[in-house]
Amino acid sequence: MKRYAFFPGCLIPTRHPAMEFAIRHTLPKLGIEIVDLEGTSCCPDPIYFKSKDKMSWLAVAARNLTLAEEQGLDIFTNCSGCTATLSETYHLLEDMSLREKVNQRLKRIGREYKGTSKIRHIVTLLRDVAGYDAIRESVVRPLDGLKVAIHYGCHLLKPSRIMQVDDPNDPSVMERLVEALGAVPVRHRNWYLCCGKACQREDIPSNMMHDLLGAVQEEEADILGLICPTCFGQFDHGQMKVSKQFGEDFHTPPIYYFQLLAFAQGVPYDKLGLERQRFKPECLRQFETAAAAASSSETE
Amino acid sequence: MPDEPEKKDDVVKVNFDFRRELAEKIEGNLASFCYQCGACVGDCPATMYSDTFNPREIMLKVLYGLGDELLGEDSVMWECTNCYNCHERCPQEVKPVEVIISLKNMLADRGIYPDPVAKVIKTFEETGRTTPLSGAVDKQRERFGLPPLSVVPMDEISLLIEPAPPEGEDN
């Protein structure tokens, strides 16, 4: 087992605990041990608090990183926003004069940032530590033929020099992760577009989401695979809002990748919290029945 | 002797006080490297959907020191979607999004935020999280067999987010 410190952030553990459940269920099956950190705070978020005071934002982010440094572990994140904050902090604090300033702040609470813990987005753990083959082998319920539209979101990929996850112009990690479950990934024509959540002028995100949802719907995918909890909100609750606002019938159910992985690894549909979504990926149930039928015919 | 050239009102006067204040922000001075190529505009989703937001124009106004146009109550800065495409595309590593964030820091210094932004900031400053804990959250976590969320040591967070004294930190 390879050990990584877990940075849960705010959105997933409070609003989407089912996503956290899926992470805690799936990673150990792939040889990754999750080490919980005591006393983490918000990363802090790269949109709101960073807009107030970037220096304080850096200091709090550096404090979070010192918690992993104390354990001598690299840290992994499950939210693209947390990854953005922590990776950017790591990158900025390679500048020793800025690190000195941040450490003067940290001195107030008896801490020091050393830059010894690297930040890994959870998909890079799957790709680089577990590997696609191990994921394929962990699947007991292959999602044969399931058409999964992919939306990467912005912060997973950009800025690529800082995030170091994948090629922002032609990423592949999500496609390969979906294929490892036996499903068929689909790239929709607006795959590069932002979900607009951070924008504070209401009509802009609505129009963006309208065009995004239209592009996803054109692909006639069974579900939409996501890796960012903020995008998830836009594609679930937001999908209902935008449908109503524009008088259109958008209806592709979104799913966070780790819930899909947990399902493929055998967690019953009803244990995944999917009934809490506005758009429920009920189409997954067919694989439950298929797997049950296959295993009963094997035992006969 | 020839007459002195007539002074025109439409000559841009660079407001260096504004530029100095911006340069003190972390990465606030990066716009100085902008050569106005517009690579940031082509991939900007806010530009695509807005008739008022244009990162190249914002960088130009920064270069001209047009602080009054950038830092008003109805600042266009909040239209930015924070997608980081401009950061990715800029050949000069200006990171327009970071310059915009520095401008937002200046807006915050003047007490100007949209209400939803102010609300999230307040939640973070009071609880250490942007989405606070509640009985309902605990119940949901229990249902999924998840451990209780660790307590945020607010004494540490509060100390960290206090501004540094003007004379600098004690060493």
Side-chain angles (χ1 to χ4, degrees), chain A residues 210-249:
Chain A
H210 173 261
D211 291 354
L212 264 176
L213 290 164
V216 170
Q217 192 121 317
E218 259 173 39
E219 301 300 333
E220 298 182 337
D222 299 304
I223 55 173
L224 173 68
L226 296 169
I227 196 61
C228 168
T230 301
C231 289
F232 179 86
Q234 291 288 82
F235 280 100
D236 193 36
H237 179 259
Q239 183 163 202
M240 186 165 269
K241 218 173 95 184
V242 170
S243 295
K244 213 177 266 175
Q245 193 184 338
F246 289 84
E248 289 182 49
D249 173 31

Side-chain angles (χ1 to χ4, degrees), chain A residues 13-14 20 39 42 50-52 54 63 88 105 108 111 155 158 160-161 169 192 200 211 275, chain B residues 27 49 78 82 84-85 88-89 93 98 105 125 128 131 141 143 153 156 159-160 162 169:
Chain A
T14 63
E20 184 182 334
C42 177
K50 186 181 180 187
S51 298
K52 182 183 179 186
K54 196 162 160 183
R63 177 190 169 277
E88 196 188 335
R105 286 259 179 133
R108 299 174 182 175
R111 293 183 177 276
H155 290 182
K158 298 164 289 184
S160 56
R161 269 166 297 166
N169 299 317
Y192 198 72
Q200 299 298 319
D211 291 354
E275 82 291 346
Chain B
E27 300 188 302
Y49 288 86
W78 302 104
N82 288 63
Y84 284 75
N85 284 355
E88 190 67 33
R89 299 293 172 221
E93 298 187 24
E98 298 296 344
N105 281 189
E125 291 180 344
T131 48
R141 291 185 60 80
R143 178 196 152 192
E156 291 196 20
L159 278 170
L160 278 182
E162 252 171 52
E169 302 259 344

Side-chain angles (χ1 to χ4, degrees), chain A residues 142-148 182-184 222 287:
Chain A
L143 309 177
D144 290 329
L146 182 78
K147 220 168 146 183
V148 185
V184 184
D222 299 304
F287 298 99

Side-chain angles (χ1 to χ4, degrees), chain A residues 16-204:
Chain A
H16 307 292
M19 295 179 184
E20 184 182 334
F21 159 76
I23 289 165
R24 290 186 187 273
H25 180 85
T26 52
L27 286 191
K29 287 188 186 307
L30 298 166
I32 294 161
E33 184 186 338
I34 296 171
V35 180
D36 286 299
L37 291 172
E38 272 305 305
T40 55
S41 66
C42 177
C43 53
D45 80 273
I47 311 295
Y48 305 96
F49 189 65
K50 186 181 180 187
S51 298
K52 182 183 179 186
D53 175 7
K54 196 162 160 183
M55 186 63 199
S56 295
W57 171 81
L58 264 180
V60 177
R63 177 190 169 277
N64 279 322
L65 291 174
T66 64
L67 300 173
E69 290 179 352
E70 280 168 6
Q71 303 290 322
L73 294 171
D74 283 348
I75 197 165
F76 81 92
T77 50
N78 56 13
C79 160
S80 303
C82 297
T83 320
T85 288
L86 299 180
S87 296
E88 196 188 335
T89 300
Y90 182 89
H91 173 82
L92 284 175
L93 297 187
E94 285 179 335
D95 170 349
M96 289 303 156
S97 66
L98 190 55
R99 184 185 292 192
E100 173 56 27
K101 277 188 203 157
V102 166
N103 272 331
Q104 278 179 5
R105 286 259 179 133
L106 287 169
K107 217 175 188 179
R108 299 174 182 175
I109 57 169
R111 293 183 177 276
E112 187 191 356
Y113 173 80
K114 299 194 180 77
T116 51
S117 289
K118 290 210 163 71
I119 297 90
R120 306 287 304 258
H121 186 280
I122 193 166
V123 297
T124 69
L125 290 190
L126 289 189
R127 181 188 62 195
D128 305 332
V129 179
Y132 298 128
D133 287 340
I135 296 167
R136 203 169 292 119
E137 283 158 23
S138 75
V139 169
V140 299
R141 200 184 270 160
L143 309 177
D144 290 329
L146 182 78
K147 220 168 146 183
V148 185
I150 309 269
H151 197 71
Y152 277 88
C154 296
H155 290 182
L156 178 69
L157 302 172
K158 298 164 289 184
S160 56
R161 269 166 297 166
I162 293 174
M163 302 302 279
Q164 300 188 9
V165 170
D166 206 346
D167 176 357
N169 299 317
D170 189 15
S172 60
V173 59
M174 288 301 293
E175 277 86 352
R176 299 293 88 78
L177 287 174
V178 163
E179 276 168 1
L181 310 181
V184 184
V186 180
R187 183 176 280 185
H188 65 87
R189 75 182 149 77
N190 277 334
W191 72 273
Y192 198 72
L193 188 57
C194 175
C195 77
K197 177 65 183 169
C199 176
Q200 299 298 319
R201 203 184 97 184
E202 227 175 280
D203 60 313
I204 297 177

